[in-house]
Amino acid sequence: MTDSPFRVIVVEDDEDVALYVQTILRRRLACDVKVLASADGYETLEDEFDPEVVVTDLELPGRGGFELLADIRARRSDLPVAVMTAHAGAEYAERARRQGADDYLAKPLSSKDLVAAVERLARRRRGEVPVEGS
């Protein structure tokens, strides 16, 4: 098991939500977090930062979260992606999973669920044994 921080890209256009996610991940998991307000520039950041997990909103300006998810799957099918949205409901969650999302987080976000999802996905990406209770 490595002690280096998990590298996470957060794509979220709501500044308050982005700050909340960034703060929770830094404080609770000591993650190295990069934030984008839209999908623009994602590919460049991914190449430079080499994330272990991406957390993205589905409702983004311009290229939406479903489009971003499809692009990530085309580029790096092994990169875990958790999607977050205010659209509650099994239908929306199922669509996200069908399109390749590894986890689905409903807004308002629970810090406990966010931390659990990112830790589980990052450890899986690193090939580490899941944490007890995950």
Side-chain angles (χ1 to χ4, degrees):
M1 185 160 28
T2 181
D3 289 335
S4 63
F6 299 131
R7 294 177 314 280
V8 180
I9 292 178
V10 175
V11 187
E12 170 59 67
D13 62 315
D14 182 314
E15 209 172 299
D16 292 334
V17 174
L19 181 61
Y20 171 78
V21 172
Q22 181 179 44
T23 301
I24 293 298
L25 294 178
R26 284 183 173 164
R27 288 187 180 168
R28 301 271 304 275
L29 286 175
C31 292
D32 186 358
V33 180
K34 303 289 184 192
V35 176
L36 291 172
S38 74
D40 295 338
Y42 171 81
E43 290 80 6
T44 301
L45 181 58
E46 179 190 276
D47 289 342
E48 294 171 358
F49 187 59
D50 189 26
E52 293 169 297
V53 177
V54 175
V55 178
T56 185
D57 189 10
L58 289 177
E59 300 298 321
L60 296 168
R63 180 171 56 153
F66 281 113
E67 290 175 73
L68 177 60
L69 178 58
D71 291 345
I72 292 169
R73 286 292 156 252
R75 287 169 54 89
R76 295 184 49 192
S77 62
D78 63 327
L79 179 59
V81 178
V83 297
M84 54 186 175
T85 184
H87 293 282
E91 184 178 309
Y92 217 68
E94 182 55 32
R95 178 180 173 202
R97 290 195 194 280
R98 273 195 322 268
Q99 293 189 353
D102 296 284
D103 211 327
Y104 180 88
L105 301 166
K107 292 179 180 177
L109 294 174
S110 151
S111 63
K112 179 182 175 184
D113 292 345
L114 173 65
V115 167
V118 169
E119 183 173 25
R120 181 177 43 77
L121 294 173
R123 289 191 183 286
R124 185 182 81 196
R125 175 85 172 105
R126 288 183 177 184
E128 296 176 1
V129 177
V131 174
E132 188 67 29
S134 294

